[in-house]
Amino acid sequence: MDTDLQQYTVAEVTKGFVYNELEGKGLFGLNGDLVIQPEYQRHYIYGDGKKDVAVIDSLLKGYPLGLIYFVDNGVADGPRLEVLDGQQRITSVGRFVTGKFAIVRDGREQTFSSLDPALQKKITDSQLLIYVCSGTETEIKEWFQTINIAGVPLNKQELRNAIYSGPFVTAAKAEFSNSQNALQQKWAHFVKGDPKRQEVLEVALEWVASSKDQSIDGYMAAHRQDSGINELKSYFTTVIDWIDAVFIAPPDKAMRGLDWGALYETYHHKSYKTDEIDANLEELLADPAVKNPKGIYEYLLGGKEDTRLLDVRLFEPSTKKQAYAQQTKKAQAAGVSNCPLCAQGSNANKTRIYKQTEMEADHVAAWSRGGDTSLANCEMLCVPHNRSKGNR
Ligand SMILES: [Zn+2]
């Protein structure tokens, strides 16, 4: 790969600058020769009235904006250069000189056109230091991963979008990374993450890829040149519709970020009585003994068997101590073991008095059948008996 250090002025780079308000990204510069946001890069995230203003302040103070990297893609007709690193800075400058935001100078808001002409010139004459790189796609993208350690680092999915860029990524981003998509609000009940940081797309890919025992990378590589995203979209929609069909109540925040793809794969063949699911769900969400509300959904899908998913609150040490003392006193008076199950038998432990450390607390009425976690429902059992009762 070759790199060539060049200097361009702000006026040159922002000539013919186009900013797409709807998509939130800068598109072209250098009089049409520069693609500012190739498909593998993220949306413009500097437009917060701080980072974008800081870029303009730097230029007005004569500070350098730092190194910028372009790729020369060698295409003869059409834009020849792409921004590899520097997209956020260039978009900020381009938006300012085209009047998209104002800065405050001497206590007054100023847009580019209202600035003193000398200051306007200072900005447009500023020199940008640009490395223009050329090489194979692979070389350039590997290198891109290396240099992107500065600034806001790309996350895993942003990197994958770079590595597998092509028509599939473009179509997938249009569906899953567009915060204007009206469905995002619905998806946000079940999927955690910022669409602009590709986190919703990542979940959609994870679900469909896992259903085929593939990794996201494997799936993206296989579909890289697809022009459509039918399978990705229909699988994602199927999972979301399934959640909606099984859990009929308005979504609770505990649903957000669960691995719904895996739950769908495991449980979608089962049929559910939705009224019953709904009543159980309401009860469990309100139950203070359930320490892990996120586990409720799989607990219900699995037929209320695995209470470990709920992380049910255990008996307090003081409750166990009281239960032990009461039981032991009664047992000693009756001349039997203080483990009620040992006392029933006719073995060597029939009259054994266990130490508290040799016993564990058990729900008399199983928690899963409505028994609560109080002294009245607490029974101490010897360890072997408690373990043999299993997880109720
Ligand atoms: Zn026992």
Side-chain angles (χ1 to χ4, degrees), residues 151-172:
V152 183
L154 292 188
N155 63 30
K156 272 194 272 176
Q157 188 55 40
E158 286 169 335
L159 277 175
R160 288 190 197 104
N161 289 358
I163 295 163
Y164 305 110
S165 69
F168 178 80
V169 163
T170 305

Side-chain angles (χ1 to χ4, degrees), residues 33 41 44 57 59 94 102 105 151 205 216 223 263 284 308 333 355 359 372:
D33 279 341
Q41 291 215 9
Y44 179 57
D57 283 345
L59 291 178
R105 288 287 291 183
L205 285 164
I216 295 181
H223 293 272
L263 292 173
L284 288 166
R308 283 171 306 180
K355 289 186 234 161
M359 304 186 89
D372 61 10

Side-chain angles (χ1 to χ4, degrees), residues 339 341-342 354 382 385:
C339 167
L341 295 181
C342 287
Y354 292 92
C382 72
H385 269 129

Side-chain angles (χ1 to χ4, degrees), residues 95-324:
R95 288 182 78 236
F96 185 70
V97 302
T98 53
K100 300 289 193 297
F101 69 96
I103 58 168
V104 176
R105 288 287 291 183
D106 307 321
R108 302 177 69 105
E109 284 213 348
Q110 301 276 10
T111 57
F112 180 74
S113 59
S114 69
L115 271 183
D116 182 284
L119 293 176
Q120 289 183 9
K121 192 168 180 326
K122 185 157 190 188
I123 290 174
T124 52
D125 285 354
S126 297
Q127 295 278 338
L128 302 176
L129 213 49
I130 295 168
Y131 267 113
V132 178
C133 326
S134 47
T136 67
E137 194 183 23
T138 314
E139 283 174 334
I140 289 166
K141 282 173 182 168
E142 273 173 12
W143 188 58
F144 179 63
Q145 295 189 40
T146 314
I147 60 167
N148 228 275
I149 46 177
V152 183
L154 292 188
N155 63 30
K156 272 194 272 176
Q157 188 55 40
E158 286 169 335
L159 277 175
R160 288 190 197 104
N161 289 358
I163 295 163
Y164 305 110
S165 69
F168 178 80
V169 163
T170 305
K173 284 177 69 174
E175 177 72 15
F176 292 102
S177 311
N178 174 8
S179 48
Q180 311 285 327
N181 185 339
L183 290 168
Q184 291 283 0
Q185 210 183 338
K186 177 179 179 182
W187 298 343
H189 292 131
F190 313 119
V191 177
K192 206 161 141 183
D194 179 355
K196 285 190 176 175
R197 296 296 312 267
Q198 312 304 320
E199 288 164 335
V200 175
L201 173 58
E202 182 173 34
V203 170
L205 285 164
E206 171 65 31
W207 289 357
V208 71
S210 299
S211 77
K212 300 167 157 290
D213 285 326
Q214 276 183 309
S215 65
I216 295 181
D217 284 87
Y219 189 86
M220 290 182 80
H223 293 272
R224 182 170 182 182
Q225 299 305 334
D226 294 3
S227 56
I229 54 163
N230 286 345
E231 183 183 62
L232 171 68
K233 195 172 163 179
S234 80
Y235 188 85
F236 186 80
T237 308
T238 303
V239 174
I240 298 284
D241 289 349
W242 173 77
I243 307 170
D244 257 349
V246 178
F247 299 101
I248 55 178
D252 186 87
K253 64 180 190 305
M255 301 180 101
R256 194 162 189 240
L258 296 183
D259 189 356
W260 288 109
L263 292 173
Y264 171 78
E265 284 299 315
T266 311
Y267 298 109
H268 80 275
H269 294 298
K270 290 183 70 172
S271 71
Y272 293 100
K273 293 191 170 65
T274 53
D275 289 354
E276 218 171 88
I277 292 271
D278 192 49
N280 285 325
L281 177 64
E282 194 182 342
E283 199 180 312
L284 288 166
L285 282 170
D287 191 331
V290 174
K291 284 201 287 181
N292 179 31
K294 284 189 172 295
I296 294 173
Y297 298 92
E298 184 166 12
Y299 175 70
L300 292 176
L301 291 168
K304 298 202 283 181
E305 278 168 13
D306 190 356
T307 51
R308 283 171 306 180
L309 290 164
L310 304 176
D311 192 9
V312 176
R313 200 175 297 282
L314 300 172
F315 290 103
E316 298 291 331
S318 58
T319 308
K320 288 194 270 192
K321 200 174 165 187
Q322 269 180 281
Y324 175 81

Side-chain angles (χ1 to χ4, degrees), residues 337-344 347 349 352 354 358-359 380-386 388:
S337 172
N338 59 347
C339 167
L341 295 181
C342 287
Q344 286 167 20
N347 56 61
N349 291 331
R352 176 164 170 188
Y354 292 92
E358 295 169 323
M359 304 186 89
M380 301 299 285
L381 297 179
C382 72
V383 172
H385 269 129
N386 189 52
S388 72

Side-chain angles (χ1 to χ4, degrees), residues 363-381:
H363 285 81
V364 180
W367 178 87
S368 55
R369 295 190 202 97
D372 61 10
T373 307
S374 66
L375 177 63
N377 195 37
C378 178
E379 182 174 63
M380 301 299 285
L381 297 179

